[in-house]
Amino acid sequence: MAVRLSDYLKNIYGEKVYRLSLSSGCTCPNRDGSIVMPDGTPLTGGCTFCSEGGSGEFAADIAPIDVQIEEAKKWIRNKTDADRFIAYFQSYTNTYGDIDRLKALYMETIKREDIEILSLGTRPDCINSDVLDMLRELKEIKPVWIELGLQTIHEKSAEIFHRGYRLSVFEEAYHKLKDIGIEVIAHVIFGLPGETKEDMLATIKYLADLEPSLDGIKIQNLQILKGTQLYDEYKEDPFHILTLDEYAELLEQSFEILPKNTVVHRMTGDGPRALLVEPLWSLNKKNVLNTINRKVNHLFL
């Protein structure tokens, strides 16, 4: 049975720990032309579903890290008096760039008394020896999570949305991270164009079978956002968008597959209202969560 992130954190810290969405000022290798497609075309637009915000529309603007953290805390404290936080560098690829600058940024962040965990969203092809050395130092101070954007195990799907690396690259990065004691969280998207229910569950089965075991998972429904290449493709040739019931059923089946104690960090995504084209059902977050919980509550510890 899986474990909800909120329960996992309460068990460790005795209280809820809130995530602060922050910006590191990084870009991505499939945005700056570093990755070349098989036909020789450099990738400059990122993954086709990714907006200009780099999947971090809710992250703070790029400012000195102390300013970002305090601003993010103000938003959280509109709802709670929490004083323990996860520093989550969300948008773009947060291990891609000048390693000295990144190390200084993350050291400054992780040493703050109000930060309990450092979480970095990144790509498997941006885990090199310098990054691993940095992570070794950081994890000696406090826990470090690395969130890898896998999305799917299927190479055809990955080529269609311009992921820019093969599954073997994920496997290599995963084992290097686990070898140095880093907690790894895999990102998965359900509803990618052309993928069947069996394809999606095959991705979950692959992750469930990883050795050593995967620490956590984030699953979200595919979102079509204005201004993305995927939006243009969808307008020209519409494909099936998962219904809420289909999505909830996929989650239920996924949690039945995942090994005991896998921490579920996310079960759905929030697209920015001004940009979201599909699925419109995701705008009613209360209904989404109620529907999902009715399906999956019995599968959590």
Side-chain angles (χ1 to χ4, degrees), residues 230-286:
L230 183 65
Y231 172 60
D232 294 334
E233 293 169 354
Y234 181 72
K235 283 196 303 180
E236 186 171 332
D237 186 18
F239 51 84
H240 178 66
I241 302 295
L242 293 173
T243 66
L244 176 55
D245 287 339
E246 288 173 328
Y247 183 70
E249 183 177 344
L250 279 164
L251 289 177
E252 180 183 28
Q253 293 174 309
S254 297
F255 299 153
E256 289 172 340
I257 295 169
L258 289 169
K260 182 179 179 181
N261 295 328
T262 300
V263 179
V264 177
H265 289 244
R266 182 176 65 201
M267 294 190 293
T268 184
D270 293 327
R273 185 176 291 269
L275 299 180
L276 184 69
V277 177
E278 289 285 1
L280 294 178
W281 54 256
S282 66
L283 292 174
N284 187 344
K285 189 169 182 178
K286 183 177 180 180

Side-chain angles (χ1 to χ4, degrees), residues 22 29 41 56 88 101 103 141 163-164 185 188 201 208 216 251 276:
L22 308 170
T41 304
Y88 177 32
R101 182 186 76 84
K103 182 177 177 180
I141 302 170
R163 186 175 69 186
I185 300 151
V188 173
L201 294 177
L251 289 177
L276 184 69

Side-chain angles (χ1 to χ4, degrees), residues 1-4 7-8 259-263 296-301:
M1 301 179 80
V3 182
R4 294 180 191 272
D7 293 332
Y8 172 76
K260 182 179 179 181
N261 295 328
T262 300
V263 179
V296 306
N297 271 347
H298 66 288
L299 295 171
F300 286 97
L301 294 175

Side-chain angles (χ1 to χ4, degrees), residues 52-109:
E52 283 302 311
S55 296
E57 279 77 14
F58 301 114
D61 292 334
I62 297 172
I65 194 60
D66 285 346
V67 174
Q68 287 193 51
I69 289 173
E70 292 307 319
E71 287 300 313
K73 284 165 62 175
K74 285 180 185 177
W75 188 83
I76 294 288
R77 284 176 172 159
N78 287 330
K79 301 180 290 184
T80 176
D81 59 356
D83 57 7
R84 307 177 85 172
F85 302 96
I86 300 166
Y88 177 32
F89 289 87
Q90 176 181 12
S91 54
Y92 301 113
T93 303
N94 294 286
T95 60
Y96 183 60
D98 181 81
I99 196 67
D100 292 329
R101 182 186 76 84
L102 292 176
K103 182 177 177 180
L105 172 65
Y106 300 144
M107 280 292 180
E108 180 181 358
T109 303

Side-chain angles (χ1 to χ4, degrees), residues 161-194:
F161 72 75
H162 297 173
R163 186 175 69 186
Y165 69 83
R166 300 188 69 80
L167 182 60
S168 59
V169 176
F170 172 86
E171 292 177 354
E172 181 179 1
Y174 178 80
H175 287 106
K176 286 181 177 178
L177 290 164
K178 294 297 290 181
D179 284 347
I180 66 169
I182 296 294
E183 292 191 35
V184 180
I185 300 151
H187 288 213
V188 173
I189 293 178
F190 285 162
L192 290 167

